[in-house]
Amino acid sequence: MAVRLLTLTAALLLAGCGTTPQTQPQSEQTGPKVVATTSWEAGFAKAAGAGNVTVIVPKSVLHAPDYDPKPSDLKAVADADYVLYAPFESFAPKITDAAGSKAKKVEVALDNSRDKVKAEVTRLGELFGTQDAAKKWIAGFDAEYAKLAGEVKAKWPGGQQPKVVAQMFVGYAADLAGAELLGVYGPEPVTASQVAELRNKAPQFVFENSHMSTGTVLPDANAKQVNLVNYPDDDNDLLGVYRANAKTISDALA
């Protein structure tokens, strides 16, 4: 991927070109200035208490590592206190350096598993100095998670625990559903031998990652595919991921 290593001066001259990074409403802009590569990192930042968050990669780009940074992105990182990115999004530290930014570059562990989310939100809250906000969010998260898990369990077919296989990045949804996780696959497309192995486990459902989907995972298998999400909507509300997936799973179980 070609990354435009422009000087900050050039970036400012061209800042009006390309896609404009998405920033939270002015009324919500509190705390440190955070630039997040995607709404996934932004969701973690917001949960940790950051109110001034700008997202670089548009939601229309489903695979963030493929994103070609714009001059306006350099302007955003130039003014940031923190730049949040995933290890596989190598363009983020490059454009931060190219912009001459003094922002602290922070790798975010993008894992929506319940305990890992709480650990990462706690870490970011300590980093931002917003520990109280992070603790408050975690308390709300625990309550909402328990509520959603109960709603999904109430939809179990015949009251029986469902059996699933899942794309590795949405394996956390099996816990949310209270399902028995028989196996995981990906992130690479499944091979013929992997398809056979997964089919032999006789899952009732396949939890697929809609952001990396390559189509039907287990063709000719008696398993219902359920497409789930990892990224929040434009509001960067990480809880929205769990609400959306709980509804999708409940609908599939019904």
Side-chain angles (χ1 to χ4, degrees):
M1 177 185 69
V3 178
R4 303 177 186 179
L5 298 180
L6 302 177
T7 64
L8 178 57
T9 301
L12 292 172
L13 289 172
L14 297 172
C17 302
T19 303
T20 302
Q22 299 175 356
T23 306
Q24 288 182 226
Q26 189 71 33
S27 60
E28 299 178 14
Q29 293 183 14
T30 59
K33 293 181 179 179
V34 176
V35 170
T37 47
T38 72
S39 64
W40 201 352
E41 288 93 346
F44 277 90
K46 184 176 179 180
N52 191 344
V53 183
T54 299
V55 178
I56 291 179
V57 181
K59 284 193 66 179
S60 58
V61 179
L62 295 182
H63 193 229
D66 293 337
Y67 179 67
D68 185 15
K70 305 296 189 295
S72 53
D73 300 332
L74 279 87
K75 184 178 186 302
V77 300
D79 297 331
D81 297 311
Y82 298 93
V83 174
L84 271 55
Y85 65 100
F88 51 82
E89 295 164 346
S90 60
F91 67 85
K94 290 179 181 178
I95 63 173
T96 302
D97 293 340
S101 175
K102 296 181 180 180
K104 182 176 180 62
K105 291 169 281 191
V106 181
E107 286 191 3
V108 180
L110 296 180
D111 189 323
N112 288 337
S113 301
R114 177 171 43 177
D115 290 342
K116 291 184 178 180
V117 163
K118 293 194 290 184
E120 192 69 348
V121 168
T122 298
R123 180 180 77 93
L124 292 176
E126 292 172 349
L127 182 65
F128 299 156
T130 55
Q131 295 95 322
D132 290 344
K135 289 178 181 178
K136 182 178 180 181
W137 185 88
I138 288 172
F141 172 70
D142 280 336
E144 184 72 5
Y145 194 99
K147 172 178 173 290
L148 294 171
E151 291 174 353
V152 176
K153 187 174 181 179
K155 298 291 186 179
W156 283 3
Q160 299 297 309
Q161 183 184 34
K163 302 178 185 297
V164 309
V165 295
Q167 199 267 0
M168 64 180 301
F169 293 146
V170 293
Y172 70 91
D175 179 71
L176 178 66
E180 180 182 354
L181 183 60
L182 302 176
V184 296
Y185 62 91
E188 298 83 8
V190 292
T191 63
S193 61
Q194 289 173 326
V195 168
E197 181 182 353
L198 292 170
R199 187 190 295 116
N200 288 339
K201 294 179 182 293
Q204 297 167 287
F205 300 92
V206 176
F207 285 179
E208 170 68 329
N209 184 347
S210 63
H211 302 290
M212 301 178 68
S213 182
T214 56
T216 303
V217 177
L218 298 181
D220 303 322
N222 189 25
K224 189 173 186 178
Q225 183 161 310
V226 184
N227 294 322
L228 303 175
V229 299
N230 280 328
Y231 290 71
D233 285 329
D234 291 337
D235 58 6
N236 298 330
D237 181 10
L238 196 57
L239 275 173
V241 171
Y242 299 89
R243 295 188 186 107
N245 286 339
K247 183 180 186 309
T248 299
I249 295 170
S250 293
D251 290 345
L253 295 177

Coordinates of all heavy atoms in Angstrom, one line a residue, residues 2-84:
A2 N 0.6 2.1 -0.9 CA 1.4 3.4 -1.0 C 0.9 4.4 0.0 O -0.3 4.7 0.1 CB 1.3 4.0 -2.4
V3 N 1.7 4.9 0.9 CA 1.4 5.9 1.9 C 2.0 7.2 1.5 O 3.2 7.3 1.2 CB 1.9 5.4 3.3 CG1 1.5 6.5 4.3 CG2 1.3 4.1 3.7
R4 N 1.2 8.2 1.5 CA 1.6 9.5 1.1 C 2.4 10.2 2.2 O 1.8 10.8 3.1 CB 0.4 10.4 0.7 CG -0.4 9.8 -0.4 CD -1.6 10.6 -0.7 NE -2.5 10.0 -1.6 CZ -3.6 10.5 -2.0 NH1 -4.0 11.7 -1.6 NH2 -4.4 9.8 -2.9
L5 N 3.7 10.1 2.1 CA 4.5 10.7 3.1 C 4.8 12.2 2.8 O 5.8 12.6 2.4 CB 5.9 10.0 3.2 CG 5.8 8.5 3.6 CD1 7.1 7.9 3.7 CD2 5.1 8.4 5.0
L6 N 3.7 13.0 3.1 CA 3.7 14.4 2.8 C 4.3 15.2 4.0 O 4.1 14.8 5.1 CB 2.3 14.9 2.4 CG 1.6 14.2 1.3 CD1 0.2 14.8 1.1 CD2 2.4 14.5 0.0
T7 N 4.9 16.4 3.7 CA 5.2 17.2 4.9 C 4.0 17.9 5.4 O 2.9 17.9 4.8 CB 6.2 18.3 4.4 OG1 5.5 19.2 3.5 CG2 7.4 17.8 3.7
L8 N 4.1 18.3 6.6 CA 2.9 19.0 7.3 C 2.4 20.2 6.5 O 1.2 20.4 6.3 CB 3.2 19.4 8.7 CG 2.2 20.1 9.5 CD1 0.9 19.2 9.5 CD2 2.6 20.4 10.9
T9 N 3.4 20.9 5.9 CA 3.0 22.1 5.2 C 2.2 21.7 3.9 O 1.1 22.3 3.6 CB 4.3 22.9 4.7 OG1 5.0 23.3 5.8 CG2 3.9 24.1 3.9
A10 N 2.6 20.7 3.2 CA 1.9 20.2 2.1 C 0.5 19.7 2.5 O -0.5 19.9 1.8 CB 2.7 19.1 1.4
A11 N 0.5 19.0 3.6 CA -0.8 18.5 4.1 C -1.8 19.6 4.3 O -3.0 19.5 4.0 CB -0.6 17.7 5.3
L12 N -1.3 20.7 4.9 CA -2.2 21.8 5.2 C -2.7 22.5 4.0 O -3.9 22.9 3.9 CB -1.5 22.8 6.1 CG -1.2 22.3 7.6 CD1 -0.3 23.3 8.3 CD2 -2.5 22.1 8.3
L13 N -1.9 22.5 3.0 CA -2.3 23.1 1.7 C -3.3 22.3 1.0 O -4.2 22.9 0.3 CB -1.0 23.3 0.8 CG 0.0 24.4 1.2 CD1 1.2 24.2 0.3 CD2 -0.6 25.7 1.1
L14 N -3.3 21.0 1.2 CA -4.2 20.1 0.5 C -5.3 19.6 1.4 O -6.0 18.7 1.0 CB -3.4 18.9 -0.1 CG -2.4 19.3 -1.1 CD1 -1.5 18.0 -1.5 CD2 -3.0 19.8 -2.4
A15 N -5.4 20.1 2.6 CA -6.3 19.6 3.6 C -7.8 19.5 3.1 O -8.5 18.7 3.6 CB -6.3 20.4 4.9
G16 N -8.1 20.2 2.2 CA -9.5 20.2 1.7 C -9.8 19.0 0.7 O -10.9 18.8 0.4
C17 N -8.7 18.3 0.4 CA -8.9 17.3 -0.6 C -9.2 15.9 0.1 O -8.8 15.7 1.2 CB -7.6 17.1 -1.4 SG -7.0 18.6 -2.2
G18 N -9.9 15.1 -0.6 CA -10.2 13.8 -0.1 C -11.3 13.7 0.9 O -12.0 14.7 1.2
T19 N -11.4 12.6 1.6 CA -12.4 12.4 2.6 C -12.0 13.1 3.9 O -10.9 13.0 4.3 CB -12.5 10.9 2.9 OG1 -12.8 10.2 1.7 CG2 -13.6 10.6 3.9
T20 N -13.0 13.8 4.5 CA -12.7 14.5 5.7 C -12.9 13.6 6.9 O -14.0 12.9 7.0 CB -13.7 15.7 5.8 OG1 -13.5 16.6 4.7 CG2 -13.4 16.5 7.1
P21 N -12.0 13.5 7.8 CA -12.1 12.6 8.9 C -13.4 13.0 9.7 O -13.7 14.2 9.8 CB -10.8 12.8 9.7 CG -9.8 13.3 8.7 CD -10.6 14.1 7.8
Q22 N -14.0 12.0 10.3 CA -15.2 12.3 11.1 C -14.9 12.6 12.6 O -14.2 11.8 13.2 CB -16.1 11.0 11.0 CG -16.6 10.7 9.6 CD -17.4 9.4 9.6 OE1 -17.6 8.7 10.6 NE2 -17.9 9.1 8.4
T23 N -15.4 13.7 13.0 CA -15.2 14.1 14.4 C -16.5 14.2 15.2 O -17.5 14.5 14.6 CB -14.5 15.6 14.4 OG1 -13.4 15.5 13.6 CG2 -14.1 16.0 15.8
Q24 N -16.4 13.9 16.5 CA -17.6 14.0 17.3 C -18.1 15.4 17.4 O -17.4 16.4 17.2 CB -17.3 13.5 18.7 CG -17.0 12.0 18.8 CD -16.7 11.5 20.2 OE1 -15.8 10.7 20.4 NE2 -17.5 12.0 21.1
P25 N -19.4 15.6 17.7 CA -20.0 16.9 17.8 C -19.3 17.7 18.8 O -18.7 17.3 19.8 CB -21.5 16.6 18.3 CG -21.7 15.2 17.8 CD -20.4 14.5 17.8
Q26 N -19.3 19.1 18.6 CA -18.6 20.0 19.4 C -18.9 19.9 20.9 O -18.1 19.9 21.8 CB -18.8 21.4 18.9 CG -18.0 22.5 19.6 CD -16.5 22.4 19.1 OE1 -16.3 22.1 18.0 NE2 -15.6 22.8 20.0
S27 N -20.2 19.6 21.2 CA -20.7 19.5 22.5 C -20.1 18.3 23.3 O -20.1 18.3 24.5 CB -22.2 19.4 22.6 OG -22.6 18.2 21.9
E28 N -19.6 17.3 22.6 CA -19.0 16.1 23.2 C -17.5 16.2 23.3 O -16.9 15.2 23.8 CB -19.5 14.9 22.4 CG -21.0 14.7 22.4 CD -21.3 13.5 21.6 OE1 -20.5 12.6 21.3 OE2 -22.5 13.3 21.3
Q29 N -16.9 17.2 22.8 CA -15.4 17.3 22.7 C -14.8 17.7 24.0 O -14.6 18.8 24.3 CB -15.0 18.2 21.5 CG -15.4 17.7 20.2 CD -14.9 18.6 19.1 OE1 -14.1 19.5 19.3 NE2 -15.5 18.5 17.9
T30 N -14.4 16.7 24.8 CA -13.8 16.9 26.1 C -12.6 15.9 26.2 O -12.5 14.9 25.5 CB -14.7 16.6 27.2 OG1 -15.2 15.2 27.1 CG2 -15.9 17.5 27.2
G31 N -11.7 16.3 27.1 CA -10.5 15.4 27.3 C -9.5 15.6 26.1 O -9.5 16.5 25.4
P32 N -8.6 14.6 26.1 CA -7.5 14.7 25.1 C -8.0 14.5 23.6 O -9.1 14.0 23.4 CB -6.6 13.5 25.4 CG -7.5 12.5 26.1 CD -8.5 13.4 26.9
K33 N -7.3 15.1 22.7 CA -7.6 15.0 21.3 C -7.1 13.6 20.8 O -5.9 13.3 20.8 CB -7.0 16.1 20.4 CG -7.5 17.5 20.7 CD -6.9 18.5 19.8 CE -7.4 19.9 20.0 NZ -6.8 20.9 19.2
V34 N -8.0 12.8 20.4 CA -7.7 11.4 20.0 C -8.1 11.2 18.5 O -9.2 11.6 18.1 CB -8.4 10.4 20.8 CG1 -8.1 8.9 20.3 CG2 -8.1 10.5 22.3
V35 N -7.1 10.7 17.7 CA -7.4 10.3 16.3 C -7.4 8.8 16.3 O -6.4 8.2 16.8 CB -6.4 10.9 15.3 CG1 -6.5 10.2 14.0 CG2 -6.5 12.4 15.2
A36 N -8.5 8.2 15.8 CA -8.6 6.7 15.7 C -8.7 6.3 14.3 O -9.3 7.0 13.5 CB -9.8 6.3 16.5
T37 N -8.0 5.3 13.9 CA -8.0 4.8 12.5 C -9.4 4.5 12.1 O -9.9 4.9 11.0 CB -7.1 3.7 12.3 OG1 -7.3 2.7 13.3 CG2 -5.6 4.1 12.3
T38 N -10.2 3.7 12.9 CA -11.5 3.3 12.6 C -12.5 3.5 13.7 O -12.0 3.9 14.8 CB -11.6 1.8 12.2 OG1 -11.4 1.0 13.4 CG2 -10.5 1.4 11.2
S39 N -13.8 3.3 13.5 CA -14.7 3.5 14.6 C -14.6 2.4 15.6 O -15.1 2.6 16.8 CB -16.2 3.4 14.0 OG -16.5 2.2 13.4
W40 N -13.8 1.3 15.3 CA -13.6 0.3 16.3 C -12.7 0.9 17.4 O -13.0 0.8 18.6 CB -13.0 -0.9 15.7 CG -13.1 -2.2 16.5 CD1 -13.6 -2.3 17.7 CD2 -12.7 -3.5 16.0 NE1 -13.5 -3.7 18.1 CE2 -13.0 -4.4 17.1 CE3 -12.2 -4.0 14.8 CZ2 -12.8 -5.8 17.0 CZ3 -12.0 -5.4 14.8 CH2 -12.3 -6.2 15.8
E41 N -11.5 1.4 17.0 CA -10.6 2.1 18.0 C -11.3 3.3 18.7 O -11.2 3.5 19.9 CB -9.3 2.6 17.3 CG -8.4 1.5 16.9 CD -8.6 1.0 15.5 OE1 -9.6 1.3 14.9 OE2 -7.7 0.3 14.9
A42 N -12.1 4.0 17.9 CA -12.8 5.1 18.4 C -13.8 4.7 19.5 O -14.0 5.4 20.5 CB -13.6 5.9 17.3
G43 N -14.4 3.5 19.3 CA -15.4 3.0 20.3 C -14.7 2.7 21.6 O -15.2 3.0 22.7
F44 N -13.5 2.2 21.6 CA -12.7 2.0 22.8 C -12.3 3.3 23.4 O -12.3 3.4 24.7 CB -11.4 1.1 22.5 CG -11.6 -0.3 22.4 CD1 -12.0 -1.0 21.2 CD2 -11.5 -1.1 23.5 CE1 -12.2 -2.3 21.1 CE2 -11.7 -2.5 23.5 CZ -12.0 -3.1 22.3
A45 N -11.9 4.3 22.6 CA -11.5 5.6 23.1 C -12.7 6.3 23.8 O -12.5 6.8 24.9 CB -11.0 6.4 22.0
K46 N -13.8 6.2 23.2 CA -15.0 6.9 23.8 C -15.4 6.2 25.1 O -15.8 6.8 26.1 CB -16.2 6.8 22.8 CG -17.4 7.6 23.3 CD -18.5 7.6 22.2 CE -19.7 8.3 22.7 NZ -20.8 8.3 21.7
A47 N -15.3 4.8 25.1 CA -15.7 4.1 26.3 C -14.7 4.4 27.4 O -15.1 4.5 28.6 CB -15.6 2.6 26.0
A48 N -13.5 4.7 27.1 CA -12.5 5.1 28.1 C -12.6 6.5 28.6 O -11.9 6.9 29.6 CB -11.1 4.8 27.6
G49 N -13.5 7.3 28.0 CA -13.7 8.6 28.5 C -13.3 9.7 27.6 O -13.4 10.9 27.9
A50 N -12.7 9.4 26.4 CA -12.3 10.4 25.5 C -13.5 11.0 24.7 O -14.3 10.3 24.2 CB -11.3 9.9 24.4
G51 N -13.7 12.3 24.8 CA -14.8 13.0 24.1 C -14.5 13.7 22.9 O -15.3 14.1 22.1
N52 N -13.2 13.8 22.6 CA -12.7 14.6 21.4 C -12.0 13.5 20.5 O -10.8 13.4 20.5 CB -11.8 15.7 21.8 CG -11.5 16.6 20.6 OD1 -11.7 16.3 19.5 ND2 -10.9 17.8 21.0
V53 N -12.8 12.8 19.7 CA -12.3 11.7 18.9 C -12.6 11.9 17.4 O -13.7 12.2 17.0 CB -12.9 10.4 19.3 CG1 -12.3 9.2 18.5 CG2 -12.7 10.1 20.8
T54 N -11.6 11.8 16.6 CA -11.7 11.9 15.1 C -11.4 10.5 14.5 O -10.4 9.9 14.9 CB -10.7 12.9 14.6 OG1 -11.1 14.2 15.1 CG2 -10.8 13.0 13.1
V55 N -12.2 10.1 13.6 CA -12.0 8.8 12.9 C -11.5 9.1 11.5 O -12.1 9.9 10.8 CB -13.3 8.0 12.9 CG1 -13.1 6.7 12.1 CG2 -13.9 7.7 14.3
I56 N -10.4 8.3 11.1 CA -9.8 8.5 9.8 C -10.5 7.7 8.7 O -11.0 8.2 7.7 CB -8.3 8.2 9.8 CG1 -7.6 9.2 10.7 CG2 -7.8 8.1 8.4 CD1 -6.1 8.9 10.8
V57 N -10.6 6.4 8.9 CA -11.1 5.5 7.8 C -12.6 5.5 7.8 O -13.3 5.2 8.7 CB -10.6 4.1 8.0 CG1 -11.1 3.2 6.9 CG2 -9.1 4.0 8.2
P58 N -13.2 5.9 6.6 CA -14.6 5.9 6.5 C -15.2 4.5 6.6 O -14.6 3.5 6.4 CB -14.9 6.4 5.0 CG -13.6 7.0 4.6 CD -12.5 6.3 5.4
K59 N -16.5 4.4 7.1 CA -17.1 3.1 7.2 C -17.3 2.4 5.9 O -17.4 1.2 5.9 CB -18.5 3.3 7.9 CG -18.4 3.6 9.4 CD -19.8 3.5 10.0 CE -20.3 2.0 10.0 NZ -21.6 1.8 10.6
S60 N -17.3 3.1 4.8 CA -17.4 2.5 3.5 C -16.2 1.6 3.2 O -16.3 0.7 2.3 CB -17.6 3.5 2.4 OG -16.5 4.4 2.4
V61 N -15.1 1.8 3.9 CA -13.9 1.0 3.7 C -14.0 -0.1 4.7 O -13.7 0.1 5.9 CB -12.6 1.8 3.9 CG1 -11.4 0.9 3.7 CG2 -12.5 3.0 2.9
L62 N -14.3 -1.3 4.3 CA -14.5 -2.4 5.3 C -13.2 -3.0 5.8 O -13.2 -3.6 6.9 CB -15.4 -3.5 4.6 CG -16.8 -3.1 4.3 CD1 -17.6 -4.3 3.7 CD2 -17.6 -2.6 5.5
H63 N -12.2 -2.9 5.0 CA -10.9 -3.5 5.4 C -9.9 -2.4 5.5 O -9.3 -1.9 4.6 CB -10.4 -4.5 4.3 CG -9.3 -5.3 4.8 ND1 -8.1 -5.5 4.1 CD2 -9.1 -6.0 5.9 CE1 -7.3 -6.3 4.7 NE2 -7.9 -6.6 5.9
A64 N -9.7 -1.9 6.8 CA -8.9 -0.7 7.1 C -7.5 -0.7 6.6 O -7.0 0.3 6.1 CB -8.9 -0.4 8.6
P65 N -6.8 -1.9 6.6 CA -5.4 -1.9 6.1 C -5.3 -1.5 4.6 O -4.2 -1.1 4.2 CB -5.0 -3.3 6.3 CG -5.8 -3.8 7.5 CD -7.1 -3.2 7.3
D66 N -6.4 -1.6 3.9 CA -6.4 -1.2 2.5 C -6.6 0.3 2.2 O -6.5 0.8 1.1 CB -7.5 -1.9 1.7 CG -7.3 -3.5 1.6 OD1 -6.1 -3.9 1.8 OD2 -8.3 -4.2 1.5
Y67 N -6.8 1.0 3.3 CA -7.1 2.5 3.2 C -5.9 3.3 2.7 O -4.8 3.0 3.2 CB -7.6 3.0 4.5 CG -7.9 4.5 4.5 CD1 -9.0 5.0 3.8 CD2 -7.2 5.4 5.3 CE1 -9.3 6.3 3.8 CE2 -7.4 6.7 5.3 CZ -8.5 7.2 4.5 OH -8.8 8.5 4.5
D68 N -6.1 4.2 1.8 CA -5.0 5.0 1.3 C -5.2 6.4 2.0 O -6.2 7.1 1.7 CB -5.1 5.2 -0.2 CG -4.0 6.0 -0.8 OD1 -3.0 6.2 -0.1 OD2 -4.1 6.4 -2.0
P69 N -4.3 6.8 2.9 CA -4.5 8.0 3.7 C -4.6 9.3 2.8 O -4.0 9.3 1.7 CB -3.3 8.1 4.6 CG -2.9 6.6 4.7 CD -3.2 6.0 3.4
K70 N -5.4 10.2 3.2 CA -5.6 11.5 2.5 C -4.8 12.6 3.3 O -4.5 12.5 4.4 CB -7.1 11.8 2.5 CG -7.9 10.8 1.9 CD -7.6 10.5 0.4 CE -8.6 9.6 -0.2 NZ -8.6 8.2 0.3
P71 N -4.5 13.7 2.5 CA -3.9 14.9 3.2 C -4.6 15.3 4.4 O -4.0 15.8 5.4 CB -3.8 15.9 2.1 CG -3.8 15.1 0.8 CD -4.7 13.9 1.1
S72 N -5.9 15.3 4.4 CA -6.7 15.7 5.6 C -6.4 14.9 6.8 O -6.5 15.3 7.9 CB -8.2 15.7 5.3 OG -8.6 14.5 4.8
D73 N -6.0 13.6 6.6 CA -5.7 12.8 7.7 C -4.4 13.2 8.4 O -4.3 13.1 9.6 CB -5.5 11.3 7.2 CG -6.7 10.8 6.6 OD1 -7.8 11.2 6.9 OD2 -6.6 9.9 5.7
L74 N -3.5 13.7 7.6 CA -2.2 14.3 8.2 C -2.5 15.5 9.1 O -1.9 15.7 10.1 CB -1.2 14.6 7.1 CG -0.4 13.5 6.6 CD1 -1.1 12.8 5.4 CD2 1.0 13.9 6.1
K75 N -3.4 16.3 8.6 CA -3.8 17.5 9.4 C -4.4 17.0 10.8 O -4.2 17.6 11.8 CB -4.8 18.4 8.7 CG -5.2 19.7 9.4 CD -6.1 20.5 8.6 CE -6.4 21.9 9.2 NZ -7.0 21.7 10.6
A76 N -5.3 16.0 10.7 CA -5.9 15.5 11.9 C -4.9 15.0 12.9 O -4.9 15.3 14.1 CB -6.9 14.4 11.6
V77 N -3.9 14.2 12.4 CA -3.0 13.6 13.4 C -2.0 14.7 13.9 O -1.4 14.6 15.0 CB -2.2 12.4 12.8 CG1 -3.2 11.3 12.4 CG2 -1.4 12.8 11.6
A78 N -1.8 15.7 13.1 CA -0.8 16.8 13.5 C -1.3 17.5 14.7 O -0.5 17.9 15.5 CB -0.7 17.8 12.3
D79 N -2.6 17.5 14.9 CA -3.2 18.2 16.1 C -3.5 17.3 17.2 O -4.1 17.8 18.3 CB -4.4 19.0 15.7 CG -4.1 20.1 14.6 OD1 -3.0 20.6 14.6 OD2 -5.0 20.4 13.8
A80 N -3.3 16.0 17.1 CA -3.8 15.1 18.1 C -2.8 14.9 19.3 O -1.6 15.2 19.2 CB -3.9 13.7 17.4
D81 N -3.4 14.5 20.4 CA -2.6 14.1 21.5 C -2.3 12.6 21.5 O -1.2 12.2 21.9 CB -3.4 14.4 22.8 CG -3.7 15.9 23.0 OD1 -2.7 16.7 22.9 OD2 -4.8 16.2 23.3
Y82 N -3.2 11.8 20.9 CA -3.0 10.4 20.8 C -3.5 9.9 19.4 O -4.5 10.4 18.9 CB -3.8 9.6 21.9 CG -3.4 9.9 23.3 CD1 -4.0 10.9 24.0 CD2 -2.3 9.2 23.9 CE1 -3.7 11.2 25.3 CE2 -2.0 9.5 25.2 CZ -2.6 10.5 25.9 OH -2.2 10.8 27.2
V83 N -2.8 8.9 18.8 CA -3.3 8.3 17.6 C -3.4 6.8 17.9 O -2.5 6.1 18.3 CB -2.3 8.5 16.5 CG1 -2.7 7.7 15.2 CG2 -2.2 10.0 16.1
L84 N -4.7 6.3 17.8 CA -5.0 4.9 18.1 C -5.1 4.1 16.9 O -5.8 4.6 15.9 CB -6.3 4.9 18.9 CG -6.2 5.0 20.5 CD1 -5.5 6.2 20.9 CD2 -7.6 4.9 21.1

